[in-house]
Amino acid sequence: MTMSDDNGVVHVAMLPSAGMGHLTPFLRLATFFLSHNIKVTLITPRPTLSLSESQLLSRFHSSFPQVDQINFKVESSLFTQSPNSHMPIPYFQMIDHIRTSAAKALSPLLSSLSPPLSFFVSDYFMLSSVLPITQSISLPNYLLFTASASFFALYSYFSTLPSSLSELEAVEIQGVPPIPISSIPPDLVAPNSIFKKVFIEDSSQVTKVDGIFINTFEALEHEVLEAVNAGKVLTAMPPVLPFGPFVPCEFEKEGDQWIKPLKWLDDQPRGSVVFANFGTHTEFGWDQIREIADGLVKSGSRFLLVVKDGKYFNGDDKNEEVGLEEVLGHELVDKVRDKGLVMKEWVYQSGILSHEAIGGFLSHCGWNSIVEAAWNGVPIFGWPQRGDQKMNAEVVKMSGWGTWNKNWGWIGERLVTGEEIGDAIKVLMNNESFKIRASKIKEAARKGRSVGGDCEMTIIRDIVSDFSDE
Ligand code: UDP
Ligand code: UDP
């Protein structure tokens, strides 16, 4: 099998699905390939789910004009239904439509690219649409799993589980700590969700890929990585390559808006600020936002709070124009302004986490957020909201650089009070052992990423040399 063309060019095509949590790691991995002289073609579904994604893509393409970009049209009525409504586009319905559209678009495309492709990297939500096509042209197909290795263990094992999980206490997978049903994404426990359908379709195909890249690293998920690679989860498991931590890139900064919080942080003492941010699609109600603000004030710490309180997933990423005072009330707003900064727009999270004034992170535990905090050695108090986030919070707890409160429930299950949030932040900001463990995790993260580090060696050994030698 020839993996590079006559001139020794290694060429990869990459296909992310939808959402910033998927696109960001794809672009970071693409940047990594580029730095190893691999030619990259990026294939993306259009329109994107959010404006943030299309903006990130244009910044990426301006920074790397050598990357070939191919867009394919997502055929979906979701974009035209009630165009004036502020309702978010249902994420997994969109994924389902992307899968169908990708299968149609890729079939004629992949074999016609020049120079010929050496390998393909698909999103884990796209696997069963893409695999028949790559198999038909004998193109090696790697999976980029944008969540944790722990969630990967569940994903790859999922099709062997009984169809109804609700009767189980926990999912037991050999070599992996038991996963309580209460920590499993509710859509996987529910009988008929689209997410579950996608998960089962793809899970059963996982042994057919050539390898799986995961944005994680040994020090973060040693036990699970060992179990998956020792064949304990699935006997025929392809190599699982811990490629993380994916590092933030220059092109991710948008305009000038990332500067304001960093300037504010410059005036705060080292390690004094708790950063509260909940990812790209957590929308709290106003009552919960008030409790968060109250909790931050009660904690006694300084804070940087990001709230996304309104329409966020309607294609223009603009929040409702509601004043902070209207949401918090006069008295609370004064206290908030005294100790904190509240941002209502997209912030450059990686930049904030790397600022020395940050001492802790109140996070929804999206996997990218966790890896970014690990990269910067910032302890986490987890407030998982949905999906894989409780499992991610548990990864942090198990590796000793943070904790979470199981009683807070999934998003909307109950109002978490200011009292509880204030107490949680006190725990976070005053726990010396979290700080020590977090700096150890940071050290390990940087070691893996350095030139000649674990991650660099993996790519050279397993990917680049393989393909250029044959
Ligand atoms: N992010 C950011 N600014 C924001 C919100 C999110 O830069 O205001 C970035 C964050 O750094 C991360 C990604 O968006 O890279 C969110 O991914 P994650 O997996 O943490 O959560 P999701 O949004 O997918 O739930
Ligand atoms: N996800 C996403 N955008 C969304 C919803 C989900 O990227 O709007 C991702 C999320 O980061 C996680 C996975 O999809 O990796 C599982 O989603 P979840 O179970 O939260 O779906 P839900 O329960 O909200 O339907």
Side-chain angles (χ1 to χ4, degrees), residues 18-22 49 91-92 124-125 146-147 151 185-187 195 281 313 386-389:
M20 286 296 271
H22 292 254
L49 193 60
Y91 181 74
F92 285 107
Y124 75 104
F125 283 167
T146 51
F151 199 56
D187 275 1
F195 185 29
H281 48 268
F313 244 168
R386 65 208 302 164
D388 54 349
Q389 294 160 10

Side-chain angles (χ1 to χ4, degrees), residues 269-291:
R270 189 186 175 92
S272 69
V273 176
V274 58
F275 175 45
N277 194 9
F278 307 96
T280 51
H281 48 268
T282 302
E283 289 183 10
F284 290 120
W286 289 5
D287 52 350
Q288 187 61 80
I289 292 175
R290 269 191 294 273
E291 297 297 327

Side-chain angles (χ1 to χ4, degrees), residues 9 12 61 78 80 85 91 106-107 121 131 231 244 303 364 368 389:
V9 176
V12 59
H61 285 296
L78 292 174
T80 46
S85 128
Y91 181 74
L106 290 191
S107 185
V121 179
L131 197 66
F303 57 87
H364 75 310
N368 294 291
Q389 294 160 10

Side-chain angles (χ1 to χ4, degrees), residues 298-349:
K298 285 200 165 89
S299 76
S301 288
R302 293 155 202 259
F303 57 87
L304 170 51
L305 167 65
V306 185
V307 279
K308 302 196 169 98
D309 62 338
K311 48 178 182 164
Y312 196 65
F313 244 168
N314 63 348
D316 67 2
D317 277 9
K318 290 275 186 314
N319 288 326
E320 302 266 8
E321 274 316 310
V322 179
L324 196 58
E325 202 154 330
E326 211 178 309
V327 179
L328 300 186
H330 195 57
E331 205 183 314
L332 186 53
V333 103
D334 281 346
K335 290 186 192 160
V336 163
R337 289 202 175 119
D338 194 33
K339 280 285 200 167
L341 176 67
V342 181
M343 301 289 297
K344 287 183 69 195
E345 58 263 42
W346 180 263
V347 296
Y348 177 49
Q349 176 170 294

